[in-house]
Amino acid sequence: MSNNPNNSGQPNKTQSILQEVDKVKDVMHNNIGLMLNNHDKASNLQDKTASMSNNARLFKKQTVTIRRQMWCRNMKLQLIIIAVVILVLAVILIPIIMKFV
Amino acid sequence: MSYVPLKQPLLEDDGSFDYEETLLSERNEQAKHLAQDIYHLKGAMDDLKMMVDEQGEMLVQADNNVTTADLEIEYGVEELEKAYVYKSRSKKRIIILVVVILLILAVVIGASIKFFVKK
């Protein structure tokens, strides 16, 4: 009579452990599912950020080109102004020089 | 009388032994099942770790991409500001050039008028 409760106690412990392990397995399966979703999201994020980085590099190149164009135009105008000033001075000074000569 | 008591203890021992043997067999099977379940859990844990590592690398690379994009956009904005400055200077110089050309034309017209009047 005393052996029966003692024997029935230990199988209950083993069964409870098995049940807990089953619960942990379910939780792990759910976690793996969530991790797969996160994997997809991280992959999308990586692709989008790579595209953004490429676009930023193109933006940088284009802005450098625009700056150079503006600088060239600025220099051209400066040269034109200098040339015009020289012409004006030449027109004014040549008669004076001719008078002296 | 002495023969009957010999049989009874043997029957009792057999019954008790069978029951205990059954319990041990069940417990052994449960232990094996438990071991298999824990082994599967280990596999799941390993898969989870591998996925976490991969995602970590992906996120690190995404962070690098964002940092690079930020720096390049800042540089691009600076270049645009410089371009705007040059454009402003160009506009001013265009205005100066137009004014100077108009003055030259005025002087030339004045001189030609005087020359015409002189004749």
Side-chain angles (χ1 to χ4, degrees), chain A residues 26-101:
Chain A
D26 290 334
V27 171
M28 287 301 295
H29 281 101
N30 287 326
N31 284 331
I32 289 173
L34 289 175
M35 290 304 291
L36 286 172
N37 286 326
N38 286 331
H39 190 81
D40 291 335
K41 290 179 181 177
S43 180
N44 284 326
L45 185 67
Q46 184 180 354
D47 291 336
K48 287 181 178 178
T49 53
S51 177
M52 186 173 77
S53 181
N54 288 326
N55 288 326
R57 192 170 69 245
L58 291 176
F59 174 71
K60 177 183 172 183
K61 288 182 179 178
Q62 288 178 357
T63 53
V64 169
T65 303
I66 289 168
R67 182 177 68 82
R68 288 177 182 174
Q69 288 177 355
M70 293 297 161
W71 186 80
C72 289
R73 195 169 80 174
N74 195 11
M75 289 302 292
K76 285 181 181 177
L77 287 174
Q78 191 169 4
L79 290 176
I80 290 169
I81 289 171
I82 291 170
V84 168
V85 169
I86 290 170
L87 281 177
V88 170
L89 290 177
V91 167
I92 292 170
L93 291 177
I94 287 174
I96 294 172
I97 294 170
M98 292 298 290
K99 285 183 179 179
F100 279 107
V101 171

Side-chain angles (χ1 to χ4, degrees), chain B residues 14-114:
Chain B
D14 285 338
S16 178
F17 184 73
D18 286 336
Y19 181 69
E20 287 179 354
E21 186 174 4
T22 303
L23 286 176
L24 287 174
S25 296
E26 287 181 355
R27 193 173 297 171
N28 192 7
E29 286 181 357
Q30 286 179 354
K32 286 182 179 178
H33 190 198
L34 187 67
Q36 285 183 357
D37 287 341
I38 291 174
Y39 183 75
H40 289 164
L41 278 178
K42 177 181 181 295
M45 288 288 182
D46 289 336
D47 290 338
L48 196 67
K49 178 183 183 295
M50 187 172 67
M51 291 170 70
V52 169
D53 288 337
E54 286 183 358
Q55 290 182 18
E57 288 178 357
M58 284 185 178
L59 289 178
V60 167
Q61 190 168 357
D63 188 10
N64 289 327
N65 286 331
V66 170
T67 303
T68 302
D70 188 11
L71 292 175
E72 288 178 349
I73 288 172
E74 284 183 356
Y75 186 77
V77 169
E78 287 179 357
E79 294 291 323
L80 280 181
E81 288 177 353
K82 290 179 182 177
Y84 181 72
V85 168
Y86 289 138
K87 189 175 181 181
S88 299
R89 289 181 185 176
S90 296
K91 285 183 178 178
K92 289 181 181 178
R93 288 176 181 176
I94 288 172
I95 292 169
I96 291 170
L97 192 64
V98 169
V99 170
V100 169
I101 290 171
L102 288 177
L103 287 176
I104 291 170
L105 287 177
V107 169
V108 169
I109 291 169
S112 64
I113 288 171
K114 286 184 178 180

